[in-house]
Each structure stands twice: as C-alpha cells, then as structure tokens.
Amino acid sequence: LKRGVIISFYSNFVIVSDEIDRSETLCSLRGRFKLSNIRPFVGDKVEYSKDHDRGRIESILPRRNMIEKPRIVNVDQVIAVFSVSKPDVPYSIIDRTIANVSRSIPNVLVVLNKTDITDEKKLEEFKHIYGVYTLYLVSAYEKTGIDDLRSGLKDKISVFAGPSGVGKSSLINAITDLNLKTGLISDKTNLGKHTTTTVSLLKIPNGGFVADTPGFTTTEFTNVAPEEVQKFFPEIFRASKACAFDDCLHEFEPECKVKELVEKGEIPNSRYKNYLSILNEIKSQKIGDVRLDKKR
Ligand SMILES: Nc1nc2c(ncn2[C@@H]2O[C@H](COP(=O)(O)OP(=O)(O)OP(=O)(O)O)[C@@H](O)[C@H]2O)c(=O)[nH]1
Ligand SMILES: [Mg+2]
Ligand SMILES: [Zn+2]
C-alpha cells in the first residue's frame, strides 16, 4: 500500500498527494473502507491502493489534531497574517487572533504583510511587540520575505488565518504555484461538474501544503478557564513561573513577575493590557454562568 495526504475532497472522491513523489491520485472511498463508517477529511494521512490511474482509500492513519470551519486535520502550524497599514489592524485584534488560533494549534507563526506601505517606526514597533514569535516581515506585492516564509512552511501543513484584507490569499498565491491547484481536476478527469465541498490543501513547490481559511479566525472566547489565558501569551506564561503564587493571574497579586517585567518594559504594555482584557472577559462570562445556575 502507498501512503499520502488527502488534499481535496469531492462528493464521492478525494485527491491524495503521495507521501514520496507527491503525485496526485483520484481515490474512491468504496470497498472495505466505506463500511468502516469513518469520514475522511482534508489533511488526513491515508493508506491507498492504486490500480492504473485510479486509487482507493484503504485506511486513515491516526489524527493528531483538527480545526473546524473549515475542517482540516493534522495541522502542523497556523500562519497568523496581519498588516498595520491598509488595514491598520489594532494590536488588540492581533492578540485576540493569535490567542484564539493557538487554542486549537499551539504552533503559531506570525507574518506582517504589506511592509511596502508600512513606515519604519511601525515596523520596529511590531518587531518589538511580537518578537516572542517566529516572525516574518513580508510584502506579497514586492515579493520580499517570501522565500524565507516558504522555507518556514517546508514539509508542513500550514493554515493561514487573520483578519480580512491583510493579504492572506495574495501571500498564498505568491508561495504556491497556482497552476497546480486546478490542474488535476480540470485537465485529466471529467470531474468538472463536481465542486469542492471543503477547503483544499495547496502544494508548495519545495514541499508542504497551505490552506486559506477565511472562516477560521474568530475572536470569541468560550470554554476557556481564566488560568488558561496566559498560555496564549508565551512571554507572560514564561514569566509566570517566577510569580510568588502558583495560581497568579497577574492582576492584583503581590510579587508578580509578569507585572514586574511589564513595568521594566520587557513585556510589551499592549500585550499585558490585551491579556487582561481577555482574562476579564472570560471572568465576567463565568460570573454570568454562576448567576444563571442560581436562578434555576
Ligand atoms: N500594498 C500591498 N497591498 C497588498 C499586499 N498584499 C495584498 N495586498 C492587497 O490587499 C488587499 C487584500 O488582499 P487579499 O489577499 O485579498 O486579503 P485576504 O487576507 O485574503 O482577505 P480575505 O480573503 O477577505 O480574508 C488586496 O487589494 C491586495 O491586492 C502587499 O504586500 N502590499
Ligand atoms: Mg482571501
Ligand atoms: Zn503573576
């Protein structure tokens, strides 16, 4: 049996990209597999058999993780894309977005796009605030930083996320060879009338896959415990180990390392402020929940 990754999903078929030579095979879900009642998703690592040009999925290997809307499994990292010029995305939205995506996929890389229209002062500020992350400063227009970014994506499944208009699709176009995207479906088969039912993984020429996800980014926080919020701020979480109290939330507690580092300017003020804002939002939700419970 061969192994590969499901890169797109059609009504009764999937396209599998081979693990070794990356060749694409149209695979059916018939046979033994269909009986097992497990639905495959984009990103699934599969075993498949091949007879002439047609393939058949035989089994799905265990999944490592899953994101919803759109559904993708086995995601290695999220590429959180922002701009601070046209649109000038506020740091509060940037921090909420990063916090939110890192709930499902802890490995977050940060990209600042549109550096061609961003002044030096804003660039430096962004680098200072988000230096705790693996950071790429790029321009999809001028194609600067694209090779670096592409090497950060090599051999991985990366999902792009971020506010509307920051240039996610433009960057994905710059990174991938878009001719590959539709090649198999439109040229070699008669599946033209089938439309994709979910997102597709796009091949990066040097290795790896990317997915564009307009719907992935929400800024709502539900089902998060107050003590979890700091985990979405790596510099705060790191410092928290040196707080006097194990359950320190870095608000009013004494001997708090986080507050000390904020005062020294080693943790950016905006990061701390946005941490507190998410924390308080979650706490007020909890209070709301308790009140509801009492009424019942
Ligand atoms: N100046 C400049 N403009 C850019 C750059 N990259 C993208 N744009 C422009 O920004 C606008 C939005 O780009 P998209 O790639 O559609 O943004 P997106 O993040 O995919 O947006 P959604 O699909 O709505 O989430 C377009 O007009 C692009 O031409 C860049 O590097 N520099
Ligand atoms: Mg887009
Ligand atoms: Zn603390």
Side-chain angles (χ1 to χ4, degrees):
L1 286 181
K2 295 161 160 295
R3 282 189 175 194
V5 180
I6 295 180
I7 60 171
S8 51
F9 202 89
Y10 293 82
S11 39
N12 284 309
F13 303 92
V14 296
I15 307 288
V16 172
S17 171
D18 190 79
E19 178 181 77
I20 294 163
D21 64 12
R22 305 186 96 208
S23 62
E24 293 176 14
T25 304
L26 187 65
C27 291
S28 70
L29 305 173
R30 269 188 279 275
R32 188 170 64 83
F33 179 77
K34 192 95 192 222
L35 298 173
S36 70
N37 223 357
I38 300 168
R39 268 188 53 202
F41 296 122
V42 165
D44 262 325
K45 307 252 161 53
V46 297
E47 292 181 313
Y48 68 106
S49 55
K50 200 167 169 178
D51 182 12
H52 298 95
D53 279 350
R54 286 299 177 101
R56 196 168 74 185
I57 304 291
E58 302 290 349
S59 71
I60 295 183
L61 303 178
R63 291 171 181 150
R64 284 191 292 121
N65 57 37
M66 179 184 293
I67 61 168
E68 327 262 337
K69 289 196 231 157
R71 182 99 68 185
I72 308 177
V73 301
N74 297 322
V75 175
D76 291 302
Q77 54 191 15
V78 173
I79 315 303
V81 183
F82 305 104
S83 62
V84 289
S85 180
K86 293 184 185 174
D88 180 358
V89 181
Y91 294 138
S92 58
I93 300 290
I94 295 179
D95 290 341
R96 294 175 77 88
T97 303
I98 295 175
N100 226 309
V101 296
S102 59
R103 287 177 66 191
S104 2
I105 310 294
N107 202 8
V108 180
L109 278 55
V110 174
V111 172
L112 181 69
N113 187 34
K114 310 203 185 188
T115 53
D116 55 303
I117 51 166
T118 308
D119 68 56
E120 198 60 35
K121 197 166 152 269
K122 279 226 121 183
L123 282 181
E124 288 307 318
E125 191 175 85
F126 192 92
K127 274 200 272 188
H128 169 69
I129 296 176
Y130 295 101
V132 66
Y133 293 96
T134 302
L135 203 58
Y136 297 91
L137 304 186
V138 306
S139 163
Y141 267 19
E142 294 183 334
K143 305 267 185 287
T144 48
I146 301 297
D147 287 342
D148 265 358
L149 178 55
R150 207 187 271 124
S151 45
L153 307 181
K154 191 167 159 34
D155 299 332
K156 301 211 158 90
I157 294 181
S158 305
V159 167
F160 277 55
S164 184
V166 297
K168 297 179 295 295
S169 300
S170 307
L171 281 173
I172 287 174
N173 286 349
I175 287 160
T176 56
D177 178 354
L178 272 186
N179 293 331
L180 286 175
K181 183 180 161 191
T182 50
L184 184 74
I185 294 309
S186 52
D187 303 343
K188 295 180 194 156
T189 72
N190 288 319
L191 287 176
K193 57 180 178 294
H194 294 261
T195 52
T196 45
T197 52
T198 62
V199 70
S200 304
L201 292 181
L202 307 174
K203 240 182 228 184
I204 306 168
N206 302 347
F209 300 94
V210 288
D212 202 351
T213 65
F216 182 39
T217 307
T218 71
T219 46
E220 303 272 297
F221 289 90
T222 45
N223 299 318
V224 182
E227 60 275 16
E228 267 185 283
V229 179
Q230 57 190 323
K231 295 183 184 159
F232 313 139
F233 290 77
E235 67 279 59
I236 291 176
F237 192 52
R238 198 176 302 154
S240 74
K241 312 257 155 64
C243 293
F245 296 95
D246 281 350
D247 58 355
C248 187
L249 291 177
H250 329 302
E251 290 183 288
F252 314 108
E253 300 89 339
E255 292 174 65
C256 170
K257 188 70 176 178
V258 172
K259 276 188 289 175
E260 183 193 317
L261 293 183
V262 172
E263 272 150 33
K264 281 187 186 160
E266 287 175 34
I267 289 177
N269 233 315
S270 66
R271 292 281 286 170
Y272 179 61
K273 215 181 77 205
N274 295 331
Y275 160 77
L276 288 181
S277 132
I278 296 171
L279 179 69
N280 283 310
E281 186 178 313
I282 285 164
K283 281 182 159 181
S284 61
Q285 284 170 7
K286 297 267 176 246
I287 291 167
D289 290 349
V290 171
R291 283 204 193 113
L292 277 177
D293 285 348
K294 279 186 180 158
K295 267 188 197 160
R296 273 189 211 122

